[in-house]
Amino acid sequence: MNTSQGTKPPLSSSASASSLKPPLPSSGLRTPSNRKTIYDRNLNRTRTAELSRASFAYLFSEMVTYAQKRVTGIQDLERRLNEQGYPLGVRLLPLLLYRAPPRTATRPTRILPLLQFITTTLWKHLFGRPADALERSSANEDEYMISDNEPLVNMYVSVPKEMNQLNCAAYVAGMIEGVCDAGGMTAAVSAHNGGTEMWPGKTIFLIRFEEGVVEREGILEGRGVTG
């Protein structure tokens, strides 16, 4: 009897070996085809998209209400708002430098370039426009001032008469302080009411750099470092 019709041809050694290999474990992570991560783009789907001001006003009012609990006065409340904004500033500096074009993604090493970065890049990222003014104090070489004629954080805050010295832009002052510290230029930043007839809600952010930062500034200036 011919039994060759009922038998299957043997598998080759390569085919049998590949069929016995266990599947490779999947990491569960997917890499975009353009190799970009969430740090390379805004959370909004389009660059021109803006957050709802009503949503921002509600969230910020809740933050102020939370900070207002168990405070002893206006200065204590502003200090707590400052502390809430500080961590954001620490993280925003590396994030914005990472997103910047390679030619401009250089970390500032001197005071003026850092402050120009704050009044332009940071302000546009937060508020969609640059700050209104950047000045240096004529009396103290360690003091600089950033002016905002209409701070967004104050537009939807109703301050009672007994707290008319309160400036909720202390939250933004905390972010500025965080950016300065992240840039290696330790400073203390505070927000002050500087209203005028034309701009009643004007706020001035006073930046006081530490003595060591000012001394290093003089050394870098002597060496001709401009960045």
Side-chain angles (χ1 to χ4, degrees):
M1 180 183 292
N2 188 359
T3 60
S4 61
Q5 296 178 354
T7 60
K8 296 181 178 180
L11 297 173
S12 63
S13 59
S14 60
S16 60
S18 61
S19 62
L20 295 177
K21 287 182 179 180
L24 294 175
S26 175
S27 63
L29 299 176
R30 298 176 59 188
T31 304
S33 58
N34 58 7
R35 299 294 177 181
K36 289 187 177 182
T37 67
I38 61 173
Y39 302 105
D40 295 288
R41 59 184 185 273
N42 294 322
L43 295 180
N44 293 328
R45 293 186 178 182
T46 61
R47 288 187 177 182
T48 56
E50 294 183 356
L51 295 176
S52 167
R53 287 200 175 189
S55 300
F56 168 79
Y58 173 75
L59 291 174
F60 188 71
S61 65
E62 289 297 310
M63 291 176 59
V64 175
T65 302
Y66 176 79
Q68 195 174 0
K69 296 178 180 179
R70 296 183 298 276
V71 296
T72 57
I74 294 176
Q75 291 184 349
D76 194 20
L77 176 56
E78 290 183 343
R79 178 187 59 79
R80 295 192 67 176
L81 290 173
N82 185 293
E83 291 174 351
Q84 288 180 352
Y86 180 86
L88 292 178
V90 173
R91 290 164 175 78
L92 277 172
L93 177 63
L95 175 63
L96 295 178
L97 289 176
Y98 181 81
R99 288 181 177 176
R103 290 180 297 177
T104 59
T106 303
R107 185 181 293 268
T109 58
R110 295 191 58 182
I111 292 177
L112 188 57
L114 177 64
L115 294 180
Q116 289 173 337
F117 173 87
I118 292 173
T119 56
T120 55
T121 304
L122 177 67
W123 232 258
K124 289 179 180 179
H125 176 75
L126 294 174
F127 310 118
R129 59 174 178 80
D132 293 296
L134 170 62
E135 304 172 80
R136 182 176 182 176
S137 172
S138 57
N140 302 305
E141 63 177 359
D142 61 338
E143 292 184 354
Y144 292 78
M145 292 162 286
I146 296 175
S147 299
D148 192 323
N149 293 334
E150 289 183 309
L152 180 63
V153 293
N154 289 345
M155 284 185 178
Y156 307 100
V157 176
S158 179
V159 179
K161 292 182 178 180
E162 63 272 14
M163 301 179 66
N164 60 355
Q165 295 300 316
L166 172 65
N167 194 322
C168 291
Y171 179 75
V172 180
M175 286 192 281
I176 298 173
E177 189 170 327
V179 171
C180 291
D181 286 5
M185 305 180 201
T186 308
V189 185
S190 54
H192 304 271
N193 296 320
T196 62
E197 185 177 354
M198 179 176 295
W199 303 107
K202 181 179 180 179
T203 293
I204 299 174
F205 299 93
L206 180 61
I207 307 169
R208 293 189 180 96
F209 289 97
E210 287 191 350
E211 183 179 354
V213 176
V214 178
E215 291 178 355
R216 184 181 64 183
E217 180 75 6
I219 295 174
L220 295 176
E221 184 176 0
R223 295 178 179 177
V225 179
T226 58

